[in-house]
């Protein structure tokens, strides 16, 4: 059985620099762009690209508030939380595998 087109696309995005880190950071709760930038040590351009890609895939929600100064927060969607749970499970399996080597 081959991977679906959607699965291949998701894996391509997740393989890009910073994508899993963004998901894990947002797994702790909503965050503003500057908070993510400081926590992840990604360049603004890279972070913006990852957030845009993850939002287009429906994994991250971008919420802009009509305030002065403007405020934008990013949160994981239900789909993003499911993927994060999968990544955490994969991490556990790989840790066990590493211990067995």
């Amino acid at each position: 059985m081959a991977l679906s087109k959607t699965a291949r696309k998701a894996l391509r995005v997740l393989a890009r620099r910073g994508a899993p880190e963004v998901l894990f950071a947002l797994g702790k709760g909503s965050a503003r762009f500057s908070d993510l930038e400081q926590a992840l040590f990604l360049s603004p351009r890279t972070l913006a690209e990852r957030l845009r890609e993850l939002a287009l895939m429906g994994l991250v929600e971008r919420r802009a508030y009509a305030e002065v100064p403007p405020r934008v927060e990013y949160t994981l969607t239900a789909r993003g939380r499911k993927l994060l749970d999968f990544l955490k499970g994969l991490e556990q399996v790989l840790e066990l595998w590493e211990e067995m080597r």
Side-chain angles (χ1 to χ4, degrees), residues 14 37 46 52 57 61:
L14 289 173
E37 189 178 17
T46 300
R52 191 177 311 111
M57 292 181 66
E61 179 184 5

Side-chain angles (χ1 to χ4, degrees), residues 1-55:
M1 180 172 141
L3 288 175
S4 69
K5 183 178 178 181
T6 305
R8 285 193 308 270
K9 182 179 178 182
L11 288 173
R12 270 196 302 274
V13 170
L14 289 173
R16 298 193 70 184
R17 183 174 183 264
E21 290 83 356
V22 170
L23 291 174
F24 275 93
L26 291 176
K28 297 175 185 172
S30 297
R32 297 176 76 170
F33 186 90
S34 59
D35 298 332
L36 292 170
E37 189 178 17
Q38 290 174 352
L40 301 176
F41 303 106
L42 293 173
S43 73
R45 179 181 178 186
T46 300
L47 180 57
E49 286 176 2
R50 291 306 92 74
L51 288 168
R52 191 177 311 111
E53 291 168 342
L54 294 170

Side-chain angles (χ1 to χ4, degrees), residues 30-88:
S30 297
R32 297 176 76 170
F33 186 90
S34 59
D35 298 332
L36 292 170
E37 189 178 17
Q38 290 174 352
L40 301 176
F41 303 106
L42 293 173
S43 73
R45 179 181 178 186
T46 300
L47 180 57
E49 286 176 2
R50 291 306 92 74
L51 288 168
R52 191 177 311 111
E53 291 168 342
L54 294 170
L56 286 172
M57 292 181 66
L59 302 172
V60 171
E61 179 184 5
R62 179 186 188 270
R63 186 172 296 161
Y65 296 90
E67 299 175 352
V68 176
R71 178 171 57 114
V72 176
E73 289 184 350
Y74 296 90
T75 57
L76 284 181
T77 62
R79 193 179 198 182
R81 284 190 296 277
K82 284 182 183 179
L83 181 60
L84 183 59
D85 290 342
F86 169 77
L87 291 175
K88 287 178 180 178

